[in-house]
Amino acid sequence: MPTYRFQEVPLYANKTVPCAGGCGKKLRRQRKFAQTLNPFNKDAEGRPKTSQQIQAELSQQAKEWKSAPETCDACFVA
Ligand SMILES: [Zn+2]
């Protein structure tokens, strides 16, 4: 069975936010968002997504992630 390799469209995001636990620590987070360009990755109309569509979706996801609060390990267990 052949292996198909699809082109990945990645987006790397990082943020620095104050800990939501209230300890005053600044938390740095990094995250990668990615989708692959492939015939099965379709948009709402059933057409394969273009890299532009994927990038727009990834930047929307990154934007939501960036506005989400983070809690440091110490505050999380407390
Ligand atoms: Zn904390």
Side-chain angles (χ1 to χ4, degrees), residues 19-25 27 70-76:
C19 172
C23 68
K25 223 186 267 179
L27 306 176
E70 298 287 344
T71 308
C72 76
D73 289 345
C75 292
F76 194 72

Side-chain angles (χ1 to χ4, degrees), residues 6 8-9 23-24 26 31-32 34 37-38 40-41 45-47 50 59 63-64 76:
F6 297 116
E8 187 183 63
V9 182
C23 68
K26 289 237 190 277
R31 196 168 148 183
K32 178 189 175 187
L37 271 172
N38 73 70
F40 311 106
N41 191 3
E45 267 122 69
R47 291 175 299 217
T50 64
S59 64
K63 203 175 133 193
E64 284 166 17
F76 194 72

Side-chain angles (χ1 to χ4, degrees), residues 3-78:
T3 305
Y4 295 100
R5 298 207 56 181
F6 297 116
Q7 193 195 335
E8 187 183 63
V9 182
L11 181 91
Y12 296 90
N14 57 72
K15 64 177 174 181
T16 304
V17 292
C19 172
C23 68
K25 223 186 267 179
K26 289 237 190 277
L27 306 176
R28 292 182 60 209
R29 293 282 187 268
Q30 270 186 51
R31 196 168 148 183
K32 178 189 175 187
F33 296 87
Q35 284 188 38
T36 52
L37 271 172
N38 73 70
F40 311 106
N41 191 3
K42 293 176 181 167
D43 65 16
E45 267 122 69
R47 291 175 299 217
K49 291 179 193 171
T50 64
S51 61
Q52 284 84 0
Q53 276 177 304
I54 290 176
Q55 273 171 7
E57 289 184 12
L58 295 176
S59 64
Q60 180 60 33
Q61 285 172 12
K63 203 175 133 193
E64 284 166 17
W65 173 75
K66 280 184 187 179
S67 63
E70 298 287 344
T71 308
C72 76
D73 289 345
C75 292
F76 194 72
V77 285

